[in-house]
C-alpha cells in the first residue's frame, strides 16, 4: 500500500493559514544545541518527519532528546560522542550540520557523507575548506567525512559561493575557536540569522548578522538556551503562490513578510494585491495571473526552493515566462511531471521557458523532492479532474499538515492509501 494525494482542481483558495517554524532552521538549531552542555529547548518546531530523524542523529551522539508537539528538548552531555550514526545520517541530508558543532566540542567529528539527491549534487568542499582554514584536517574515509582539529584558530575565510550549509557549519565551529574568524561572502538567509541569534543567546560573540560578512569572536564555552524557531518563509510563500494561482485570497500567519519581499513583489507584478503586517500577510488575486520571469539566487534573491511554485504559476499564467535556476543544477528534472499535467514547458540547462495555458489537465505525477511535490499539488489545484500526486513522503518532510491546511482553505484534496500505480 502507498499514499498519494488526490487533488481535485477548480477551487478558489480562501481563508487563513498558520505557518510554524522553518524546517531549514530547526534542524540547524538542533545541531547548534550540541555546542553547550545542558538542556536546550526549541519551540515552534514543525511536526515533520525530519525533526525525529534529527533527534535520532543527536541521540546517536549521546544526547537525550524529547520531541513533544512543537517543542524539542535536547539534553547534551559533558562528553559527546564524535561519530554520527550512518543509518540516521543517511536518512537526512541536513544532518551534515553536526560537523561544525562536533569539531568545536570534541575536536574530532566523523559524519557519513550524505550523497547527492534529486535536486542535484551537493558537495561539501566549501564546508571542508572552511574547517581547514580554522586548523582542522578533513578527509573522506570509507564514505565518511573525518575531521580532526586539536586547536581551532580564528581565520579569514572567503566562500566561493554563499552556501547556506557551509556558512552554518563554519559559524558553528568558529564560535568556540581561539580568536576571531571572518566569514566573507557568507549566506544571509533568514535561517542563518535565526541560527546566529540563538548562538548569541548561548553566549557567542557574532557581528554582522544578516550581512555577507560575519565576524565571530571565539569564546571558551556556551550555555544552553531556549529559542523559538522562525516561521517558515518557504511554506508561507507556497500558500502565497497557491492563492495567486487559484485566484483566491489567503492570509498567512506566522511568517515575517520581509523575508518574502521579493516574492510578494513578483506576485504583485503578476497582478496580485498584497497586504503585510508584522508576522502575517495576505495575497489576493482576482483574474488570471500575468506571466513574469524568475531568477533563483541566494537570499535576498528568489529562493531556489520556490522555483517549482514559480513554474506552477507560470504554467497557468497569461503569457510566457522565463525561469532561470542558478543554485541546484538538477532542479528542473521535475518539469517533466508538470508537462504531464499539460504545462507547456521546455528546459535548456539553467533555463525553463513556460507558455501559460488556460487550464491544466489532471494526471498521475510523482514528487521527486519536497518542493517539487508542493509545486505539483499547486498545479493540480488548477487542473481539470483529479490529479494523483505520488511519493508524498517528500512533501510530508517539509510541510506539516499540508492536506489539512489545503482543506482549511477550501481545496478538494485527500490523502489516499491504495495499491501503488
Ligand atoms: C540549503 C537548504 C535548501 C536550499 C539551499 C539553498 C537546508 C536543510 N537546505 O541547502 O532547502 O535549497 O540551502 O537555499 O537548509 N555547494 C558546493 N560546495 C559546498 C556547498 C554547497 O558546491 O561545499 C553548492 C551546492 O551544490 C549548490 C549551492 O552550492 O549548488 C548551494 O548550496 P547550499 O547553499 O550549501 O545549500 P544547502 O545548505 O545544501
Amino acid at each position: 500500500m502507498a499514499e498519494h494525494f488526490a487533488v481535485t482542481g477548480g477551487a478558489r483558495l480562501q481563508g487563513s493559514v498558520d505557518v510554524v517554524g522553518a524546517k531549514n532552521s530547526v534542524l540547524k538549531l538542533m545541531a547548534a544545541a550540541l555546542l553547550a552542555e545542558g538542556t536546550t529547548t526549541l519551540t515552534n518546531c514543525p511536526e515533520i518527519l525530519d525533526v525525529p530523524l534529527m533527534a535520532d542523529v543527536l541521540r546517536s551522539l549521546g544526547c537525550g532528546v524529547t520531541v513533544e508537539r512543537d517543542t524539542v528538548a535536547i539534553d547534551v552531555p559533558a562528553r559527546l560522542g564524535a561519530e554520527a550514526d550512518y543509518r540516521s545520517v543517511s536518512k537526512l541530508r541536513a544532518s551534515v550540520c553536526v560537523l561544525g558543532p562536533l569539531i568545536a566540542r570534541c575536536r574530532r567529528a566523523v559524519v557519513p557523507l550524505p550523497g547527492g539527491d534529486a535536486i542535484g549534487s551537493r558537495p561539501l568542499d566549501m564546508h571542508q575548506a572552511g574547517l581547514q582554514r580554522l586548523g582542522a584536517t578533513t578527509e573522506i574515509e570509507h564514505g565518511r567525512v573525518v575531521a580532526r582539529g586539536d586547536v581551532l584558530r580564528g581565520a579569514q575565510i572567503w566562500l566561493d559561493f554563499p552556501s547556506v550549509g557551509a556558512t552554518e557549519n563554519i559559524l558553528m565551529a568558529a564560535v568556540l575557536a581561539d580568536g576571531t574568524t571572518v566569514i566573507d561572502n557568507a549566506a544571509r538567509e533568514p535561517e542563518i540569522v535565526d541560527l546566529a541569534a540563538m548562538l548569541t543567546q548561548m553566549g557567542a560573540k557574532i557581528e554582522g548578522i544578516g550581512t555577507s560578512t560575519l565576524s565571530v569572536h571565539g569564546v571558551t564555552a556556551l550555555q544552553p538556551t531556549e529559542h523559538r524557531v522562525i516561521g517558515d518563509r518557504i511554506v508561507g510563500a507556497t500558500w502565497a503562490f497557491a492563492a495567486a494561482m487559484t485566484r483566491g485570497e489567503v492570509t498567512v500567519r506566522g511568517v515575517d513578510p520581509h523575508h518574502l519581499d521579493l516574492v510578494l513583489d513578483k506576485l504583485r507584478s503578476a497582478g496580485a494585491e498584497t497586504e503585510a503586517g508584522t508576522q502575517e500577510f495576505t495575497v489576493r488575486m482576482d483574474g488570471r495571473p500575468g506571466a513574469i520571469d524568475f531568477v533563483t539566487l541566494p537570499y535576498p534573491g528568489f529562493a531556489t526552493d520556490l522555483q517549482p511554485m514559480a513554474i506552477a504559476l507560470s504554467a497557468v499564467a497569461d503569457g510566457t515566462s522565463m525561469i532561470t535556476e542558478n543554485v541546484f543544477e538538477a532542479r528542473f528534472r521535475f518539469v517533466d511531471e508538470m508537462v504531464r499535467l499539460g504545462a507547456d514547458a521546455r528546459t535548456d540547462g539553467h533555463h525553463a521557458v513556460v507558455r501559460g495555458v488556460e487550464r491544466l489537465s489532471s494526471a498521475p505525477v510523482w514528487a521527486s523532492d519536497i518542493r517539487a511535490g508542493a509545486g505539483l499539488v499547486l498545479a493540480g489545484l488548477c487542473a481539470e479532474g483529479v490529479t494523483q500526486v505520488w511519493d508524498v513522503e517528500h512533501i510530508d518532510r517539509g510541510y506539516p499538515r499540508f492536506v489539512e491546511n489545503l482543506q482549511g482553505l477550501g481545496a478538494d484534496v485527500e490523502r489516499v492509501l491504495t495499491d501503488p500505480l
Side-chain angles (χ1 to χ4, degrees):
M1 299 289 265
E3 279 182 334
H4 71 268
F5 293 167
V7 184
T8 306
R12 178 174 187 263
L13 296 201
Q14 248 176 326
S16 60
V17 58
D18 290 312
V19 174
V20 295
K23 170 183 97 72
N24 285 354
S25 208
V26 70
L27 304 173
K28 324 307 172 59
L29 302 177
M30 289 173 76
L34 294 171
L35 287 162
E37 182 189 343
T39 303
T40 285
T41 306
L42 301 172
T43 56
N44 198 34
C45 299
E47 292 179 50
I48 50 173
L49 186 63
D50 280 8
V51 169
L53 288 177
M54 188 66 177
D56 281 343
V57 173
L58 300 186
R59 286 188 193 107
S60 80
L61 298 167
C63 300
V65 187
T66 57
V67 180
E68 247 173 70
R69 298 169 70 92
D70 78 334
T71 303
V72 176
I74 303 153
D75 188 13
V76 180
R79 279 177 62 83
L80 265 180
E83 297 196 14
D85 167 60
Y86 175 78
R87 265 191 306 178
S88 327
V89 170
S90 63
K91 289 188 200 138
L92 182 63
R93 195 190 184 284
S95 55
V96 76
C97 62
V98 298
L99 190 59
L102 283 183
I103 183 87
R105 273 293 305 279
C106 310
R107 306 299 179 203
R108 191 173 151 260
V110 181
V111 180
L113 273 173
D117 64 22
I119 62 175
S121 78
R122 298 176 90 169
L124 294 179
D125 54 322
M126 285 189 260
H127 301 237
Q128 289 182 262
L131 298 180
Q132 285 164 9
R133 295 281 304 175
L134 295 176
T137 59
T138 72
E139 275 162 278
I140 307 295
E141 285 173 13
H142 310 295
R144 307 172 311 167
V145 189
V146 179
R148 291 185 189 86
D150 287 336
V151 185
L152 295 184
R153 289 211 173 78
Q156 173 82 41
I157 296 169
W158 295 271
L159 295 180
D160 290 346
F161 181 91
S163 153
V164 172
T167 303
E168 290 164 342
N169 256 330
I170 297 165
L171 175 62
M172 288 192 274
V175 288
L176 289 182
D178 246 357
T180 298
T181 299
V182 178
I183 312 172
D184 248 329
N185 201 21
R188 299 184 268 166
E189 270 65 5
E191 294 75 26
I192 291 185
V193 174
D194 199 27
L195 171 64
M198 177 167 132
L199 292 170
T200 304
Q201 282 162 227
M202 294 170 82
K205 302 270 176 272
I206 307 169
E207 288 165 29
I209 295 174
T211 75
S212 48
T213 304
L214 291 172
S215 300
V216 187
H217 308 288
V219 295
T220 48
L222 296 179
Q223 297 82 48
T225 192
E226 219 180 292
H227 183 83
R228 183 180 165 84
V229 183
I230 51 158
D232 196 317
R233 67 194 163 101
I234 304 296
V235 173
T238 302
W239 300 128
F241 273 90
M245 287 175 63
T246 62
R247 308 175 194 191
E249 177 168 351
V250 173
T251 297
V252 178
R253 297 200 204 102
V255 176
D256 183 344
H258 285 310
H259 296 165
L260 294 173
D261 279 339
L262 180 57
V263 173
L264 295 177
D265 190 54
K266 284 278 171 193
L267 292 177
R268 281 192 295 273
S269 302
E273 285 172 43
T274 67
E275 270 168 47
T278 36
Q279 283 295 321
E280 66 172 55
F281 62 89
T282 300
V283 173
R284 178 173 51 250
M285 180 77 100
D286 288 327
R288 185 176 174 194
I292 35 168
D293 295 339
F294 296 89
V295 178
T296 71
L297 282 171
Y299 190 84
F302 187 81
T304 174
D305 284 351
L306 293 173
Q307 185 249 91
M309 320 324 155
I311 300 257
L313 178 95
S314 305
V316 294
D318 186 7
T320 300
S321 309
M322 164 92 90
I323 292 102
T324 305
E325 172 59 59
N326 289 311
V327 184
F328 286 109
E329 81 279 1
R331 203 145 210 179
F332 280 140
R333 276 190 203 151
F334 87 103
V335 171
D336 287 343
E337 299 300 296
M338 283 284 182
V339 169
R340 235 191 248 271
L341 292 173
D344 181 352
R346 276 194 307 143
T347 61
D348 185 6
H350 286 278
H351 303 289
V353 175
V354 185
R355 293 185 182 85
V357 297
E358 189 68 55
R359 202 130 191 88
L360 297 168
S361 78
S362 61
V365 288
W366 279 261
S368 48
D369 74 88
I370 302 172
R371 311 302 170 189
L376 289 167
V377 171
L378 297 200
L381 293 173
C382 299
E384 255 164 70
V386 183
T387 294
Q388 294 183 354
V389 181
W390 291 86
D391 292 347
V392 294
E393 62 280 5
H394 291 297
I395 304 175
D396 290 335
R397 284 190 40 219
Y399 290 87
R401 301 172 51 76
F402 194 55
V403 168
E404 293 79 357
N405 282 327
L406 278 166
Q407 289 167 343
L409 294 172
D412 186 349
V413 180
E414 300 285 342
R415 185 187 288 271
V416 181
L417 189 63
T418 59
D419 287 327
L421 277 188

